[in-house]
Amino acid sequence: MIRTEKLVKSYGSGELELVVLKGLNFEIKTGEFVAIIGPSGSGKSTLLYQLSLLDEPTSGEVILDEVRTGELSLQEKTDIRLAKLGYVFQDYALLPELTALENVALPIIMQGLTTPEAYLKASLALERIGMVDKKHNLPSQLSGGQQQRVSIARAIAHEPQILFADEPTANLDSANGLRVMEAFRDLHEKSDQTIIMVTHEPEYAAFAGRIITLVDGTIVSDERKKPLK
Amino acid sequence: MLLSLRVGFFLALRQLRRSGKGTTTLIIFVMILTFLNLVVVSGLLVGLISGSFKQFREAYSGEVLVTSADGRDYIENSPALISFLESHPKVEAISPRYSVGVQLLGTLTDLPGKNERANRIGISLTGIDPAREEVVTGFSRFLKYGEHLNEGEEGYILIGANMIKKYSSFADANIPGLTLLEDVDIGSRVRVSFSRAGGGVVSKEFIIKGIVKSKVDEISTRAFITDKELKKLLPVNKEQVQSIAIRTDYEYAPTLVAETKDFMEGHAARIQTTDEAIPSFLRDIEQTFSILGNALSSVALIVASITVFIVIFINAVTKRKFIGIMKGIGISPQAIQFSYIFQALFYGVIGSLIGVILTFGILKPYFDVHPIDFPFSDGILVATAEGAAIRIAILLTVTLIAGYIPAKLIVRKNTLDSILGR
């Protein structure tokens, strides 16, 4: 479970201060698939960075499994990210010198597994998203959609509690975007994976069971609905 | 820590394997040049002097040299010392030599005019046993013109090339006080004369049988006759020699010196290893060249460290986003730093390895066979495994630091800023 308390994020100071998140309070329960939507500049990506411990709020707090993350050191946050969180970035963010398998195995090796064990787990993750046949390809040898699916495999291979996705379909055409969203849906349905996804595309937000709408750093709606099948 | 090392190695290995071959080759090339600069340049500089030490040992002193003590005309107790050395199991060969300072007159018939200087030089005349000298120094190899002396032969003399104008390397130099013999060559008659200890002059004519030349002054600036003939000319102390060159194992030389000193207790003589016998100014030059070599090496080290720094820095800067992503997905900053350190070490290790192969497999054997023809020595490449190991350690340490600093600079940047390229 993850929740926020009066979460504020601002940039600059004085007259130039820009408040991006304005005291947000909400909670996401384990197993939820949440889409955060809103127009450009509404603060949705900024919110994701706070929730995923990649950034520090100006005030307020993110509480993850009853742990107040504002009190954690950088190293402790890194350890939590490795153990409990998974990330899918907008531009795939695969390491170019590593094959698909190695990219997926890297965080698993960092968790202390041997390389063969990590490769086995990585292969399973790639299989889950239908990319196992491309596991020896370098990112440059994969299409955008394929790269994003490898990125999803990397994010789920170490079995994180929460999977964060920042505009995962933004750089993909509609066919590939749809395949990525289907992958998220399968993960959620088959593994009860908690997913928090930022998107500006309503048709992809419809895959989620809960949609939080942000406008100017404020939650203007928080709807639970039946996800798209 | 161990986990970070493992992940760092995992990353480094793959980054190296899949990085641009041209860049990797260029960096390794720079590291090879740096290693060669560290080992070979200073090794050659020191080798110019060490070459002269080696020649001094091989051409004149042997591993141990016994000479007259200060203020004495000869080695006391010479016959007993020679017997001792001849029976010593570790002594391979000895060459006892007589020496006396003489005047050598080159023109015997045309006497100089009133204001003309006589064609005469002062020279050290050395009496040698040709056979023994051959075993100890290979003396015949110094004979450039004419023929060598035969054992017991009388009436013939060999003269060092640097004392005859026609053959001397200094003939065209106007050195005050340097007088060379003129108008003499193989077959010319010369007159040797020296003062007796008790008064009067010993004088004898010789025919020049050969010209000897070496980069060792003790050969090129002396005259040689057989020991038997010089012994006859000496008025007193006929059995007492002025120097004994001893051939033994180089490592054993200090022990032999100690044993010989024990044997000679109470008798005056200077007993030295070849290294001790080398003039101190040559040692000073060697030290100066060594410092000069180290100074040049330091410059090379700085250049190499800057090269590695720039390469790693550019590499890290261009991959800043990926470094941020790695941190974002939980890879420890330490592991990322290790990956860059491993890469830098790879360049250093491969460069050093190739440098070692080039140095000890090609350059050193080459310079041993084809020494640099330097005016006063045959320059060799002085490179020892110990010295190379120290330089490799220095190079790797510098490389490690040069790899660590840029990696640390980039890795410590804010994770989100790195990911977003801010």
Side-chain angles (χ1 to χ4, degrees), chain A residues 13-75:
Chain A
S13 58
E15 287 182 8
L16 294 174
E17 186 179 19
L18 176 67
V19 183
V20 182
L21 300 177
K22 298 171 180 170
L24 303 183
N25 293 293
F26 66 92
E27 181 180 301
I28 295 170
K29 290 195 166 59
T30 303
E32 280 194 291
F33 184 174
V34 179
I36 301 170
I37 63 168
S40 291
S42 59
K44 50 188 189 300
S45 286
T46 305
L47 174 59
L48 194 83
Y49 300 145
Q50 314 307 309
L51 294 174
S52 61
L53 309 185
L54 285 174
D55 201 4
E56 288 183 16
T58 309
S59 66
E61 194 137 36
V62 173
I63 298 146
L64 178 67
D65 290 341
E66 300 310 320
V67 174
R68 293 192 164 271
T69 59
E71 295 163 4
L72 300 176
S73 67
L74 281 175
Q75 185 56 51

Side-chain angles (χ1 to χ4, degrees), chain A residues 49 54-55 78 81-82 87 89 91 93-99 102 106-107 109-110 112-115 119 138 154, chain B residues 3-4 6-7 10-11 14-15 17-18 319 321-322 325-333 335 415-416 419-420 422:
Chain A
Y49 300 145
L54 285 174
D55 201 4
T78 303
R81 286 203 299 268
L82 180 66
Y87 297 86
F89 297 93
D91 54 0
L94 298 175
L95 303 178
E97 295 95 355
L98 271 56
T99 62
E102 290 162 350
L106 183 61
I109 294 170
M110 192 73 231
L113 268 71
T114 64
T115 307
Y119 280 168
L138 290 168
R154 180 178 65 185
Chain B
L3 193 58
S4 293
R6 194 155 73 85
V7 173
F10 177 89
L11 283 168
R14 279 144 189 89
Q15 284 172 347
R17 199 187 293 162
R18 289 162 191 147
K319 289 183 178 156
K321 178 185 171 70
F322 296 106
I325 287 160
M326 280 196 278
K327 284 167 68 184
I329 62 173
I331 308 303
S332 75
T415 303
L416 190 59
I419 292 172
L420 300 178
R422 293 196 294 225

Side-chain angles (χ1 to χ4, degrees), chain B residues 95 128-141 148:
Chain B
S95 178
I128 57 169
D129 177 334
R132 291 187 120 174
E133 193 64 39
E134 188 65 21
V135 175
V136 173
T137 65
F139 191 82
S140 61
R141 67 195 161 107
H148 194 17

Side-chain angles (χ1 to χ4, degrees), chain B residues 84-362:
Chain B
F84 166 74
L85 293 170
E86 282 174 336
S87 62
H88 195 292
K90 287 281 190 176
V91 173
E92 293 161 20
I94 63 168
S95 178
R97 300 165 186 149
Y98 293 91
S99 287
V100 61
V102 301
Q103 291 285 312
L104 201 80
L105 185 63
T107 309
L108 306 185
T109 48
D110 296 333
L111 293 173
K114 191 180 173 188
N115 295 320
E116 284 180 340
R117 190 178 59 197
N119 185 19
R120 177 186 287 141
I121 59 167
I123 194 168
S124 174
L125 180 65
T126 302
I128 57 169
D129 177 334
R132 291 187 120 174
E133 193 64 39
E134 188 65 21
V135 175
V136 173
T137 65
F139 191 82
S140 61
R141 67 195 161 107
F142 305 125
L143 193 79
K144 295 300 167 194
Y145 307 99
E147 292 173 36
H148 194 17
L149 296 171
N150 296 316
E151 200 172 347
E153 191 173 41
E154 293 189 12
Y156 290 99
I157 191 169
L158 305 178
I159 300 182
N162 277 350
M163 302 311 288
I164 298 175
K165 192 168 186 179
K166 183 179 175 183
Y167 300 108
S168 175
S169 314
F170 305 106
D172 51 355
N174 187 15
I175 302 171
L178 177 68
T179 313
L180 302 174
L181 276 182
E182 296 183 30
D183 304 322
V184 294
D185 209 337
I186 311 289
S188 300
R189 295 184 77 83
V190 292
R191 182 180 295 147
V192 166
S193 52
F194 62 95
S195 303
R196 284 176 189 272
V201 172
V202 175
S203 184
K204 184 170 183 186
E205 288 185 14
F206 291 88
I207 294 170
I208 300 176
K209 195 177 182 189
I211 308 294
V212 287
K213 190 170 186 180
S214 161
K215 287 175 181 175
V216 177
D217 273 354
E218 281 75 3
I219 308 294
S220 288
T221 61
R222 292 187 176 186
F224 299 87
I225 61 174
T226 61
D227 54 349
K228 284 180 183 158
E229 185 163 23
L230 186 49
K231 196 170 160 184
K232 281 184 189 170
L233 294 175
L234 292 173
V236 289
N237 299 317
K238 289 176 181 289
E239 299 305 323
Q240 312 290 354
V241 296
Q242 277 67 43
S243 71
I244 306 171
I246 305 164
R247 187 66 67 205
T248 184
D249 185 61
Y250 181 79
E251 305 298 327
Y252 188 73
T255 310
L256 184 60
V257 165
E259 290 172 349
T260 310
K261 281 179 179 172
D262 283 347
F263 177 80
M264 289 291 280
E265 196 179 14
H267 298 287
R270 181 187 290 168
I271 304 158
Q272 297 169 299
T273 63
T274 181
D275 293 334
E276 293 164 344
I278 287 161
S280 62
F281 83 94
L282 280 177
R283 287 276 172 219
D284 292 343
I285 294 176
E286 187 188 37
Q287 204 174 2
T288 306
F289 275 22
S290 177
I291 292 168
L292 196 62
N294 286 339
L296 290 171
S297 300
S298 303
V299 174
L301 263 182
I302 292 167
V303 171
S305 60
I306 292 172
T307 305
V308 171
F309 182 95
I310 291 171
V311 167
I312 298 292
F313 188 74
I314 291 173
N315 193 335
V317 164
T318 53
K319 289 183 178 156
R320 194 179 146 208
K321 178 185 171 70
F322 296 106
I323 288 172
I325 287 160
M326 280 196 278
K327 284 167 68 184
I329 62 173
I331 308 303
S332 75
Q334 228 182 8
I336 300 166
Q337 283 166 22
F338 279 135
S339 78
Y340 284 99
I341 289 169
F342 279 131
Q343 287 179 67
L345 280 178
F346 169 81
Y347 298 135
V349 168
I350 298 295
S352 299
L353 274 179
I354 297 173
V356 164
I357 292 166
L358 286 176
T359 304
F360 292 99
I362 297 173

